[in-house]
Amino acid sequence: MKRLTAYLVRLFVVDALILFGVLCALLWMVNCLRSFDVVSVKGQSALVLGIQALYTMPPLAIAFFYVCIGIGLVRALQALQISRELHIIHINYGLPSLWRASAVVAGAGVLGVLVLSNFIEPYANRQLNALNASIAADLVSSTLRPGRFTQVTPGVVLLIGGRAADGEISEFFADDRRDPEVRRTYIATSARVATDGQNYVLELRDGTLQNSAADGRFSEVSFMRYDVNVETLAQAISYVDPRSEKDSVELVTTALSSGEWDEGLTMLLANRSAEGLRVIGIAMVALALAGFPSGRRTRIAMPLEAVVLLIAFAERGLSAYSPLGAATGALGMIGVAGAVIIWRTRPRRAGEVLA
């Protein structure tokens, strides 16, 4: 790697990493504040609060990862223009080094975001679900106060009549309203929390299960014993896709062995891979915006960082509503930015260079 290329790579990476680190720290603290009920209501320690907030970070980190790379590139390129180094790079045929440095940063960003989306996020989802199940089991077995309604997770309320020294629960009641279509109520004379070493199970005895549909339909089932996976009561929503807890290698290996490639699996893998295209697209956008020196002056200069944010917002909106898939916005950024870069690098007369 040439010295100029290494110098530019260092500038680009430092700005992007600083911004990414600051945003990660701020969002982690925000998540801690949002989950503070773990400490104040559910009786868990501050350490559990911090770990739970940490496990919720990967999806957020993926969402703003490519934005940090784009802003880092723009800030570094603006600093080069202010110091006139960018002019020297263009005049002294240093564009190949600029392209190589941008490619190195974009390549490292693609690798980083693919590791986040394909491996770290599924692992964090798996650990977060297990932690939530453990918190719910602890809440039911030891923390839940007799005669007091307690919210395990938004939409799920528990009430017990009493608890014996051996952990036996009397007069158990649970109301699950997470699904807007069906309200589910568990009523049991007694209950106990058990585990098989991997999962926590709530053993309900001598009770009823009531289902109330949004259209007014009602059903009731009596049981001598009914086992409820505590994890299903701990989730913020009633259903969690098990594929979200598996990394892409495991999903592909399972699909190849079974021969089943359904639309949901293909969509999930495509969404994870689209994050890499977003990094490439935003890096090209940064080069198109700030990679070329300009002598023009405007009365009101709009910060290029804000332009990058607006472009990222538009890309997310386009990808979300496009019938062509999650990579639509990223491919659009690559196409438009590529056209601008080609146009700006076209051969021009000497008087047009700084126009």
Side-chain angles (χ1 to χ4, degrees), residues 213-229:
D215 58 4
R217 291 180 298 174
F218 176 83
S219 63
E220 180 177 284
V221 178
S222 300
F223 56 81
M224 294 291 294
R225 174 175 169 175
Y226 189 86
D227 293 344
V228 180
N229 193 327

Side-chain angles (χ1 to χ4, degrees), residues 327-346:
T328 304
L331 293 175
M333 285 195 301
I334 293 173
V336 173
V340 172
I341 291 173
I342 293 172
W343 180 78
R344 299 192 72 175
T345 54
R346 75 191 190 281

Side-chain angles (χ1 to χ4, degrees), residues 52-72:
Q52 187 183 48
L54 184 64
Y55 286 149
T56 62
M57 282 298 300
L60 297 174
I62 292 171
F64 62 75
F65 183 89
Y66 75 110
V67 179
C68 292
I69 291 180
I71 293 178

Side-chain angles (χ1 to χ4, degrees), residues 217-340:
R217 291 180 298 174
F218 176 83
S219 63
E220 180 177 284
V221 178
S222 300
F223 56 81
M224 294 291 294
R225 174 175 169 175
Y226 189 86
D227 293 344
V228 180
N229 193 327
V230 175
E231 186 176 356
T232 62
L233 294 177
Q235 302 294 341
I237 55 177
S238 57
Y239 173 75
V240 176
D241 188 357
R243 289 173 175 171
S244 65
E245 301 181 356
K246 298 179 180 180
D247 60 65
S248 298
V249 173
E250 184 178 358
L251 291 175
V252 172
T253 302
T254 302
L256 289 176
S257 61
S258 62
E260 298 179 357
W261 288 85
D262 57 78
E263 184 179 355
L265 175 59
T266 305
M267 182 81 63
L268 177 60
L269 295 175
N271 290 340
R272 291 178 177 180
S273 301
E275 299 299 336
L277 291 176
R278 288 191 172 101
V279 172
I280 297 174
I282 206 70
M284 294 179 66
V285 166
L287 282 175
L289 289 174
F292 300 86
S294 175
R296 294 179 179 177
R297 296 182 179 180
T298 57
R299 292 183 178 181
I300 302 176
M302 184 175 184
L304 290 183
E305 295 87 343
V307 176
V308 171
L309 284 175
L310 290 175
I311 292 174
F313 181 80
E315 182 274 327
R316 285 287 182 178
L318 178 62
S319 298
Y321 293 101
S322 172
L324 302 178
T328 304
L331 293 175
M333 285 195 301
I334 293 173
V336 173
V340 172

Side-chain angles (χ1 to χ4, degrees), residues 98-110:
L98 180 61
W99 304 145
R100 283 193 295 268
S102 302
V104 168
V105 174
V110 169

Side-chain angles (χ1 to χ4, degrees), residues 37 42 151-157 176-178 233-237:
D37 64 318
K42 299 182 180 180
Q151 181 176 265
V152 179
T153 196
V156 179
V157 176
D176 184 358
R177 302 189 183 189
R178 291 170 296 180
L233 294 177
Q235 302 294 341
I237 55 177

